[in-house]
Amino acid sequence: MPPKPDNVEGIVLNFVNEQNRPLNSQNVADSLQKFNLKKTAVQKALDNLADSGKISFKEYGKQKIYMARQDQFDIPNSEELSRMKEENAELQKQLEEQKKLISEVEGEIKGLQSNLTLEEIQTKTAQLMKEVKEMEDKLTKLRQGVTLVSPEERQTVEKLFSDTMTQWKRRKRMFRDLWDSITENSTKDLKEFKEELGIEYDEDVGVSIQSFSDLVDRGWKKARRY
């Protein structure tokens, strides 16, 4: 009479048959910890199963190796093995296709997760609508000739700009005088000497002091006409 699948011998027998590989008592005990079986109980069950011929075993010194009885399994012939190999290859192909699909879906999920939520879109839309309204109001005032900058603010900005331009011109003139004094009797190539010292003129960096002066003149004259 075969052991019941819910007692110790039944659990051990099912495990040995399912594994169908050489096992020692420690292997079996470790794998069956989920059943709360102690090693002594597992060892006793293995010995009882081996003595009753339900499993096979071999002794190597003091250690016993247990195996499932092979005569209980249907051994496939060469034709069945070939068919199984083909089925396995097809299953492997399907598995790779499924992995690829899963990867694509995960990529789409990540892309969707990086997008704004509905609430974030609504908040962003409201913010942009507010900015558009403010710019439209400002544009309307400009078209109506409304002065958006007070005369006092304009004078402050013009004075700051004028003082800055004065300092720029003064320092530019001081540098020119000093540079001319240094290089007056120099035999060096002035361009190479300037590069050696790391000196750059306004023109070297695309800046023209005259263009700023013209900008001030045009802006102030236009302001006076209004």
Side-chain angles (χ1 to χ4, degrees), residues 86-109:
E86 291 176 0
E87 290 178 353
N88 183 60
E90 180 62 26
L91 290 172
Q92 288 293 332
K93 181 180 178 181
Q94 293 178 12
L95 177 61
E96 291 302 319
E97 291 175 352
Q98 290 298 319
K99 287 182 178 179
K100 183 178 179 182
L101 289 173
I102 290 172
S103 178
E104 292 175 355
V105 171
E106 288 177 344
E108 291 179 4
I109 291 173

mmCIF file of all heavy atoms in Angstrom, residues 86-109:
data_model
loop_
_atom_site.group_PDB
_atom_site.id
_atom_site.type_symbol
_atom_site.label_atom_id
_atom_site.label_comp_id
_atom_site.label_asym_id
_atom_site.label_seq_id
_atom_site.Cartn_x
_atom_site.Cartn_y
_atom_site.Cartn_z
ATOM 1 N N GLU A 86 11.856 19.243 -30.684
ATOM 2 C CA GLU A 86 11.207 20.220 -31.566
ATOM 3 C C GLU A 86 10.215 21.084 -30.787
ATOM 4 O O GLU A 86 10.147 22.298 -30.969
ATOM 5 C CB GLU A 86 10.503 19.494 -32.719
ATOM 6 C CG GLU A 86 11.455 18.835 -33.707
ATOM 7 C CD GLU A 86 10.711 18.060 -34.778
ATOM 8 O OE1 GLU A 86 9.458 18.048 -34.733
ATOM 9 O OE2 GLU A 86 11.379 17.469 -35.652
ATOM 10 N N GLU A 87 9.449 20.413 -29.920
ATOM 11 C CA GLU A 87 8.486 21.158 -29.101
ATOM 12 C C GLU A 87 9.200 22.129 -28.169
ATOM 13 O O GLU A 87 8.764 23.261 -27.965
ATOM 14 C CB GLU A 87 7.631 20.173 -28.288
ATOM 15 C CG GLU A 87 6.661 19.354 -29.134
ATOM 16 C CD GLU A 87 5.881 18.355 -28.291
ATOM 17 O OE1 GLU A 87 6.204 18.230 -27.080
ATOM 18 O OE2 GLU A 87 4.963 17.699 -28.830
ATOM 19 N N ASN A 88 10.318 21.661 -27.623
ATOM 20 C CA ASN A 88 11.092 22.520 -26.728
ATOM 21 C C ASN A 88 11.642 23.741 -27.469
ATOM 22 O O ASN A 88 11.622 24.867 -26.956
ATOM 23 C CB ASN A 88 12.253 21.720 -26.111
ATOM 24 C CG ASN A 88 13.052 22.548 -25.124
ATOM 25 O OD1 ASN A 88 12.541 23.041 -24.127
ATOM 26 N ND2 ASN A 88 14.347 22.709 -25.410
ATOM 27 N N ALA A 89 12.145 23.503 -28.705
ATOM 28 C CA ALA A 89 12.666 24.611 -29.514
ATOM 29 C C ALA A 89 11.565 25.621 -29.822
ATOM 30 O O ALA A 89 11.777 26.835 -29.772
ATOM 31 C CB ALA A 89 13.278 24.064 -30.805
ATOM 32 N N GLU A 90 10.366 25.116 -30.139
ATOM 33 C CA GLU A 90 9.236 25.996 -30.434
ATOM 34 C C GLU A 90 8.829 26.782 -29.193
ATOM 35 O O GLU A 90 8.530 27.983 -29.264
ATOM 36 C CB GLU A 90 8.057 25.162 -30.947
ATOM 37 C CG GLU A 90 6.821 25.971 -31.299
ATOM 38 C CD GLU A 90 7.052 26.962 -32.422
ATOM 39 O OE1 GLU A 90 7.955 26.722 -33.258
ATOM 40 O OE2 GLU A 90 6.329 27.988 -32.469
ATOM 41 N N LEU A 91 8.827 26.102 -28.048
ATOM 42 C CA LEU A 91 8.493 26.791 -26.796
ATOM 43 C C LEU A 91 9.519 27.864 -26.450
ATOM 44 O O LEU A 91 9.169 28.942 -25.967
ATOM 45 C CB LEU A 91 8.384 25.773 -25.654
ATOM 46 C CG LEU A 91 7.186 24.832 -25.715
ATOM 47 C CD1 LEU A 91 7.291 23.758 -24.641
ATOM 48 C CD2 LEU A 91 5.876 25.607 -25.545
ATOM 49 N N GLN A 92 10.794 27.563 -26.718
ATOM 50 C CA GLN A 92 11.843 28.548 -26.474
ATOM 51 C C GLN A 92 11.654 29.778 -27.362
ATOM 52 O O GLN A 92 11.840 30.923 -26.927
ATOM 53 C CB GLN A 92 13.224 27.926 -26.736
ATOM 54 C CG GLN A 92 13.672 26.918 -25.700
ATOM 55 C CD GLN A 92 13.924 27.557 -24.344
ATOM 56 O OE1 GLN A 92 14.257 28.723 -24.233
ATOM 57 N NE2 GLN A 92 13.749 26.779 -23.283
ATOM 58 N N LYS A 93 11.257 29.528 -28.612
ATOM 59 C CA LYS A 93 11.005 30.628 -29.540
ATOM 60 C C LYS A 93 9.843 31.485 -29.045
ATOM 61 O O LYS A 93 9.904 32.727 -29.056
ATOM 62 C CB LYS A 93 10.699 30.062 -30.930
ATOM 63 C CG LYS A 93 10.434 31.121 -31.985
ATOM 64 C CD LYS A 93 10.145 30.471 -33.327
ATOM 65 C CE LYS A 93 9.828 31.544 -34.372
ATOM 66 N NZ LYS A 93 9.508 30.925 -35.698
ATOM 67 N N GLN A 94 8.767 30.820 -28.618
ATOM 68 C CA GLN A 94 7.609 31.549 -28.093
ATOM 69 C C GLN A 94 7.977 32.340 -26.839
ATOM 70 O O GLN A 94 7.501 33.452 -26.632
ATOM 71 C CB GLN A 94 6.470 30.567 -27.791
ATOM 72 C CG GLN A 94 5.871 29.911 -29.029
ATOM 73 C CD GLN A 94 4.785 28.908 -28.668
ATOM 74 O OE1 GLN A 94 4.319 28.851 -27.531
ATOM 75 N NE2 GLN A 94 4.384 28.083 -29.641
ATOM 76 N N LEU A 95 8.844 31.725 -26.010
ATOM 77 C CA LEU A 95 9.280 32.407 -24.788
ATOM 78 C C LEU A 95 10.038 33.689 -25.121
ATOM 79 O O LEU A 95 9.813 34.741 -24.493
ATOM 80 C CB LEU A 95 10.168 31.468 -23.970
ATOM 81 C CG LEU A 95 10.762 32.054 -22.681
ATOM 82 C CD1 LEU A 95 9.648 32.467 -21.722
ATOM 83 C CD2 LEU A 95 11.689 31.047 -22.011
ATOM 84 N N GLU A 96 10.928 33.624 -26.108
ATOM 85 C CA GLU A 96 11.686 34.811 -26.506
ATOM 86 C C GLU A 96 10.762 35.894 -27.054
ATOM 87 O O GLU A 96 10.957 37.093 -26.790
ATOM 88 C CB GLU A 96 12.739 34.433 -27.560
ATOM 89 C CG GLU A 96 13.870 33.571 -27.035
ATOM 90 C CD GLU A 96 14.619 34.241 -25.892
ATOM 91 O OE1 GLU A 96 14.855 35.461 -25.966
ATOM 92 O OE2 GLU A 96 14.958 33.536 -24.924
ATOM 93 N N GLU A 97 9.746 35.468 -27.838
ATOM 94 C CA GLU A 97 8.791 36.430 -28.373
ATOM 95 C C GLU A 97 8.003 37.103 -27.243
ATOM 96 O O GLU A 97 7.754 38.318 -27.277
ATOM 97 C CB GLU A 97 7.836 35.731 -29.348
ATOM 98 C CG GLU A 97 8.511 35.282 -30.638
ATOM 99 C CD GLU A 97 7.569 34.484 -31.534
ATOM 100 O OE1 GLU A 97 6.449 34.158 -31.065
ATOM 101 O OE2 GLU A 97 7.958 34.184 -32.684
ATOM 102 N N GLN A 98 7.621 36.289 -26.244
ATOM 103 C CA GLN A 98 6.883 36.842 -25.107
ATOM 104 C C GLN A 98 7.758 37.812 -24.308
ATOM 105 O O GLN A 98 7.289 38.860 -23.859
ATOM 106 C CB GLN A 98 6.402 35.713 -24.191
ATOM 107 C CG GLN A 98 5.299 34.850 -24.790
ATOM 108 C CD GLN A 98 4.040 35.654 -25.086
ATOM 109 O OE1 GLN A 98 3.637 36.508 -24.298
ATOM 110 N NE2 GLN A 98 3.420 35.380 -26.227
ATOM 111 N N LYS A 99 9.036 37.468 -24.136
ATOM 112 C CA LYS A 99 9.956 38.363 -23.436
ATOM 113 C C LYS A 99 10.090 39.688 -24.176
ATOM 114 O O LYS A 99 10.146 40.759 -23.571
ATOM 115 C CB LYS A 99 11.330 37.702 -23.299
ATOM 116 C CG LYS A 99 11.384 36.586 -22.274
ATOM 117 C CD LYS A 99 12.793 36.024 -22.177
ATOM 118 C CE LYS A 99 12.889 34.931 -21.112
ATOM 119 N NZ LYS A 99 14.272 34.367 -21.027
ATOM 120 N N LYS A 100 10.143 39.613 -25.517
ATOM 121 C CA LYS A 100 10.250 40.827 -26.323
ATOM 122 C C LYS A 100 9.009 41.691 -26.168
ATOM 123 O O LYS A 100 9.094 42.915 -26.014
ATOM 124 C CB LYS A 100 10.453 40.444 -27.797
ATOM 125 C CG LYS A 100 10.652 41.639 -28.713
ATOM 126 C CD LYS A 100 10.883 41.191 -30.140
ATOM 127 C CE LYS A 100 11.046 42.405 -31.063
ATOM 128 N NZ LYS A 100 11.237 41.994 -32.477
ATOM 129 N N LEU A 101 7.827 41.032 -26.194
ATOM 130 C CA LEU A 101 6.583 41.777 -26.022
ATOM 131 C C LEU A 101 6.509 42.427 -24.643
ATOM 132 O O LEU A 101 6.083 43.575 -24.501
ATOM 133 C CB LEU A 101 5.387 40.833 -26.226
ATOM 134 C CG LEU A 101 5.132 40.356 -27.661
ATOM 135 C CD1 LEU A 101 4.021 39.308 -27.675
ATOM 136 C CD2 LEU A 101 4.745 41.530 -28.563
ATOM 137 N N ILE A 102 6.937 41.662 -23.631
ATOM 138 C CA ILE A 102 6.932 42.194 -22.266
ATOM 139 C C ILE A 102 7.847 43.407 -22.167
ATOM 140 O O ILE A 102 7.511 44.419 -21.541
ATOM 141 C CB ILE A 102 7.367 41.105 -21.264
ATOM 142 C CG1 ILE A 102 6.279 40.031 -21.163
ATOM 143 C CG2 ILE A 102 7.646 41.706 -19.890
ATOM 144 C CD1 ILE A 102 6.695 38.825 -20.362
ATOM 145 N N SER A 103 9.011 43.316 -22.812
ATOM 146 C CA SER A 103 9.957 44.432 -22.793
ATOM 147 C C SER A 103 9.360 45.671 -23.461
ATOM 148 O O SER A 103 9.523 46.794 -22.983
ATOM 149 C CB SER A 103 11.253 44.019 -23.500
ATOM 150 O OG SER A 103 12.159 45.085 -23.544
ATOM 151 N N GLU A 104 8.656 45.461 -24.582
ATOM 152 C CA GLU A 104 8.033 46.587 -25.274
ATOM 153 C C GLU A 104 6.940 47.222 -24.415
ATOM 154 O O GLU A 104 6.821 48.453 -24.345
ATOM 155 C CB GLU A 104 7.451 46.109 -26.610
ATOM 156 C CG GLU A 104 8.519 45.706 -27.624
ATOM 157 C CD GLU A 104 7.910 45.115 -28.888
ATOM 158 O OE1 GLU A 104 6.666 44.936 -28.922
ATOM 159 O OE2 GLU A 104 8.673 44.830 -29.837
ATOM 160 N N VAL A 105 6.139 46.368 -23.771
ATOM 161 C CA VAL A 105 5.069 46.885 -22.911
ATOM 162 C C VAL A 105 5.653 47.660 -21.736
ATOM 163 O O VAL A 105 5.154 48.731 -21.368
ATOM 164 C CB VAL A 105 4.180 45.721 -22.403
ATOM 165 C CG1 VAL A 105 3.213 46.219 -21.342
ATOM 166 C CG2 VAL A 105 3.410 45.100 -23.559
ATOM 167 N N GLU A 106 6.724 47.118 -21.145
ATOM 168 C CA GLU A 106 7.360 47.819 -20.022
ATOM 169 C C GLU A 106 7.898 49.169 -20.459
ATOM 170 O O GLU A 106 7.835 50.153 -19.718
ATOM 171 C CB GLU A 106 8.495 46.961 -19.455
ATOM 172 C CG GLU A 106 8.004 45.749 -18.676
ATOM 173 C CD GLU A 106 9.150 44.876 -18.188
ATOM 174 O OE1 GLU A 106 10.288 45.050 -18.704
ATOM 175 O OE2 GLU A 106 8.925 44.028 -17.305
ATOM 176 N N GLY A 107 8.447 49.225 -21.703
ATOM 177 C CA GLY A 107 8.926 50.502 -22.234
ATOM 178 C C GLY A 107 7.801 51.503 -22.399
ATOM 179 O O GLY A 107 7.945 52.687 -22.090
ATOM 180 N N GLU A 108 6.646 51.016 -22.898
ATOM 181 C CA GLU A 108 5.488 51.899 -23.052
ATOM 182 C C GLU A 108 4.990 52.399 -21.696
ATOM 183 O O GLU A 108 4.613 53.556 -21.538
ATOM 184 C CB GLU A 108 4.369 51.155 -23.784
ATOM 185 C CG GLU A 108 4.682 50.859 -25.250
ATOM 186 C CD GLU A 108 3.547 50.104 -25.924
ATOM 187 O OE1 GLU A 108 2.512 49.884 -25.267
ATOM 188 O OE2 GLU A 108 3.702 49.747 -27.102
ATOM 189 N N ILE A 109 5.004 51.497 -20.705
ATOM 190 C CA ILE A 109 4.564 51.878 -19.356
ATOM 191 C C ILE A 109 5.473 52.962 -18.781
ATOM 192 O O ILE A 109 5.000 53.949 -18.200
ATOM 193 C CB ILE A 109 4.539 50.651 -18.430
ATOM 194 C CG1 ILE A 109 3.411 49.692 -18.854
ATOM 195 C CG2 ILE A 109 4.343 51.074 -16.977
ATOM 196 C CD1 ILE A 109 3.411 48.372 -18.113
#
